[in-house]
Amino acid sequence: MEQPPLEPERQLQPAPVEPLGCPDAELEAAVSEEGEGGLEEVSEDRTMTENNFWLKKIEISVSEAEKRTGRNAMNMQETYTAYLIETRSVEHIDGQSILTDSLWRRYSEFELLRNYLLVFYPHIVVPPLPEKRAEFVWHKLSADNMDPDFVERRRIGLENFLLRVASHPVLCRDKIFYLFLTQEGNWKETVNETGFQLKADSRLKALNATFRVKNPDKRFTELKHYSDELQSVISHLLRVRARVADRLYGVYKVHGNYGRVFSEWSAIEKEMGDGLQSAGHHMDVYASSIDDILEDEEHYADQLKEYLFYAEALRAVCRKHELMQYDLEMAAQDLASKKQQCEELATGTVRTFSLKGMTTKLFGQETPEQREARIKVLEEQINEGEQQLKCKNLEGREFVKNAWADIERFKEQKNHDLKEALISYAVMQISMCKKGIQVWTNAKECFSKM
């Protein structure tokens, strides 16, 4: 049934507004549909059918990183890192693997893939890429993006990105993603041929919609605020962790002084020498252990950073909804204006000041034929506007349903991942403290034998 054209806030917002954590029955049904087979609004030319769909049947890994030198688009020499993507079939026939493939990709190609996914799947919380340059580092950690330790962490992050996309019920079926894993040559040209750059919304247009939309959906407004707060909280957590790492590094390394002093002391003692020397050895081991501990900590920091960047992915969905809402309101406003013009021409009365009204007073009235011709043109424009408004309304409803289905999926994933990361971090801290206790227990035994 066609909706009244002058009430856009009723058209784009399906069902009464519900709190972010309490979806309605329609939303729950959408989540169920997505889990069963994915959202079906994606055109077939960009997705794979069930017959040739195999991404759920392969293993994906970014197994290696390699430093390379080449020339960029400006014909200037540059140094970059290439990553080896390997795919292997998990199904076998007569002991032989059906599919094995490997190719090299640059970080910029991962960026191109993600930008494409953002444009063609605006209702999806697209997984983020790992950081291009190190952030929230403690002072002993290199911020150089060519540092081997940083490159290794980024390799792990890029593999995680591919696994996130491959496990998504909609993104995993995209042909461009399929070709990213299998077609090394001409892949960029294939992506550019989709015309996704022309379909991307400009930042100025998005900013304009943010400030001019009159009837924003309360749920998307709350989601945007939540994403801002999530980003702020995780940022503070990462800064605290970096400060703690700095202090901890200093405390552990200072214990090396115990080892040096005990070793020097043992040289002047006969009865106590062996015990002091052994205790000094335990202190040296304790001091050197902090390097491995903080390297393990970086793994948990990277897990937090992933959701720091996920916050921007949530905001991207909100911005797209604001743009659609704004376009709908502008279409409704334009339709109302044309209906008013048609009514004024038909009745011969002008309700508001207009340039056309002033022109009529200065140069005389239009002939009946001219007025009829204008009315006919306006009626055609009104019919076309009503159809456009109806299409925008249906498109908006579909976007809201699909977006909230994916947001619910994301929330479940986020809760699970962050819970596991925080528990693992706590277990690691407990293990570290136990090792410290063991070191001093060993030192105590050394002192007791003196």
Side-chain angles (χ1 to χ4, degrees):
M1 181 176 178
E2 186 172 337
Q3 299 294 319
L6 301 182
E7 298 185 13
E9 71 276 12
R10 295 181 180 273
Q11 296 168 350
L12 191 55
Q13 299 177 7
V17 173
E18 297 285 346
L20 188 59
C22 303
D24 54 23
E26 181 183 356
L27 179 56
E28 291 177 352
V31 175
S32 176
E33 290 172 7
E34 183 187 37
E36 291 175 3
L39 305 175
E40 307 219 346
E41 81 296 339
V42 183
S43 60
E44 292 185 3
D45 61 334
R46 286 187 288 108
T47 60
M48 293 179 292
T49 63
E50 198 64 36
N51 293 332
N52 64 357
F53 171 66
W54 53 269
L55 288 177
K56 290 183 178 180
K57 302 176 182 178
I58 66 171
E59 292 178 351
I60 303 172
S61 65
V62 180
S63 58
E64 188 179 337
E66 182 178 278
K67 187 177 179 180
R68 295 182 177 182
T69 302
R71 293 192 174 276
N72 58 21
M74 303 295 293
N75 201 32
M76 298 177 63
Q77 187 168 324
E78 64 174 350
T79 301
Y80 61 91
T81 304
Y83 299 89
L84 180 63
I85 302 174
E86 294 184 332
T87 54
R88 184 174 66 86
S89 173
V90 295
E91 291 188 353
H92 297 77
I93 298 178
D94 298 329
Q96 299 296 321
S97 177
I98 299 175
L99 172 69
T100 55
D101 203 357
S102 64
L103 47 77
W104 292 90
R105 295 286 187 203
R106 295 183 59 174
Y107 184 88
S108 59
E109 292 176 289
F110 282 87
E111 287 183 311
L112 184 61
L113 171 64
R114 186 172 187 275
N115 290 336
Y116 158 83
L117 294 175
L118 284 171
V119 171
F120 277 105
Y121 303 93
H123 62 280
I124 287 177
V125 185
V126 179
L129 291 169
E131 56 192 349
K132 194 167 187 176
R133 290 175 176 78
E135 300 178 19
F136 304 102
V137 297
W138 53 288
H139 78 281
K140 290 293 182 181
L141 198 66
S142 174
D144 181 11
N145 64 339
M146 300 301 291
D147 177 74
D149 291 334
F150 172 73
V151 170
E152 172 61 16
R153 292 199 310 276
R154 189 163 70 177
R155 179 196 67 77
I156 295 172
L158 291 174
E159 179 178 290
N160 185 63
F161 166 75
L162 293 180
L163 294 176
R164 293 282 196 203
V165 176
S167 63
H168 193 281
V170 177
L171 300 181
C172 67
R173 299 174 180 271
D174 187 88
K175 284 188 177 180
I176 294 298
F177 176 56
Y178 168 87
L179 295 175
F180 181 84
L181 300 174
T182 58
Q183 178 182 308
E184 189 163 13
N186 300 322
W187 179 79
K188 287 184 179 179
E189 290 75 7
T190 303
V191 180
N192 292 330
E193 285 173 2
T194 64
F196 81 95
Q197 296 99 331
L198 300 176
K199 298 179 181 180
D201 299 313
S202 69
R203 293 188 176 184
L204 182 60
K205 183 178 178 182
L207 186 64
N208 183 52
T210 299
F211 289 103
R212 297 187 65 182
V213 66
K214 297 178 181 178
N215 300 288
D217 188 317
K218 182 180 178 182
R219 292 174 299 177
F220 282 93
T221 301
E222 290 176 351
L223 180 64
K224 182 188 281 190
H225 291 162
Y226 169 76
S227 64
D228 291 339
E229 292 169 358
L230 178 66
Q231 187 174 46
S232 176
V233 168
I234 295 181
S235 296
H236 291 158
L237 186 60
L238 288 167
R239 290 191 186 96
V240 170
R241 182 259 158 191
R243 290 198 297 269
V244 170
D246 275 329
R247 299 285 181 88
L248 202 59
Y249 184 84
V251 169
Y252 268 69
K253 289 303 182 182
V254 166
H255 278 71
N257 293 335
Y258 279 131
R260 178 177 55 80
V261 171
F262 287 151
S263 180
E264 293 174 354
W265 190 3
S266 68
I268 63 173
E269 298 286 352
K270 293 182 179 180
E271 294 82 4
M272 299 171 56
D274 290 342
L276 290 171
Q277 186 70 34
S278 297
H281 170 71
H282 289 303
M283 292 297 107
D284 289 337
V285 171
Y286 184 69
S288 62
S289 67
I290 188 60
D291 296 302
D292 291 336
I293 290 173
L294 292 183
E295 185 176 337
D296 290 339
E297 271 201 11
E298 287 302 317
H299 170 68
Y300 298 109
D302 288 338
Q303 288 180 310
L304 291 176
K305 287 179 182 179
E306 181 186 18
Y307 281 93
L308 178 73
F309 305 140
Y310 255 124
E312 175 57 29
L314 283 173
R315 284 196 291 271
V317 176
C318 295
R319 285 196 297 269
K320 182 61 179 179
H321 177 266
E322 287 174 339
L323 276 169
M324 296 181 72
Q325 177 73 26
Y326 178 69
D327 287 344
L328 180 66
E329 291 177 358
M330 291 300 98
Q333 182 177 322
D334 182 62
L335 180 61
S337 175
K338 284 184 169 56
K339 286 185 174 181
Q340 182 177 334
Q341 292 177 39
C342 188
E343 182 182 348
E344 290 173 353
L345 282 172
T347 60
T349 58
V350 179
R351 297 181 182 178
T352 57
F353 172 82
S354 67
L355 181 61
K356 185 65 180 176
M358 289 295 296
T359 312
T360 300
K361 289 184 178 180
L362 291 173
F363 300 103
Q365 295 286 338
E366 295 176 314
T367 64
E369 291 78 11
Q370 290 176 324
R371 187 164 60 250
E372 286 298 325
R374 285 187 59 201
I375 290 175
K376 185 177 180 181
V377 170
L378 281 172
E379 286 176 344
E380 292 176 354
Q381 292 176 346
I382 288 171
N383 290 332
E384 182 180 346
E386 287 176 341
Q387 290 299 318
Q388 289 179 352
L389 191 64
K390 183 178 180 180
C391 291
K392 287 180 181 294
N393 177 40
L394 294 175
E395 182 183 353
R397 286 179 177 273
E398 189 68 16
F399 177 89
V400 170
K401 184 186 75 172
N402 293 339
W404 277 104
D406 196 66
I407 288 166
E408 288 298 312
R409 178 203 59 79
F410 165 76
K411 286 170 60 179
E412 184 177 349
Q413 168 196 301
K414 171 186 67 70
N415 294 341
H416 175 269
D417 289 349
L418 291 181
K419 176 183 176 181
E420 291 297 319
L422 293 172
I423 290 175
S424 299
Y425 183 74
V427 169
M428 190 196 73
Q429 295 295 324
I430 293 170
S431 176
M432 180 180 66
C433 293
K434 286 181 178 179
K435 289 179 180 178
I437 293 173
Q438 186 61 48
V439 166
W440 281 105
T441 300
N442 294 338
K444 176 186 175 184
E445 292 177 357
C446 294
F447 297 149
S448 299
K449 294 176 181 178
M450 291 191 304

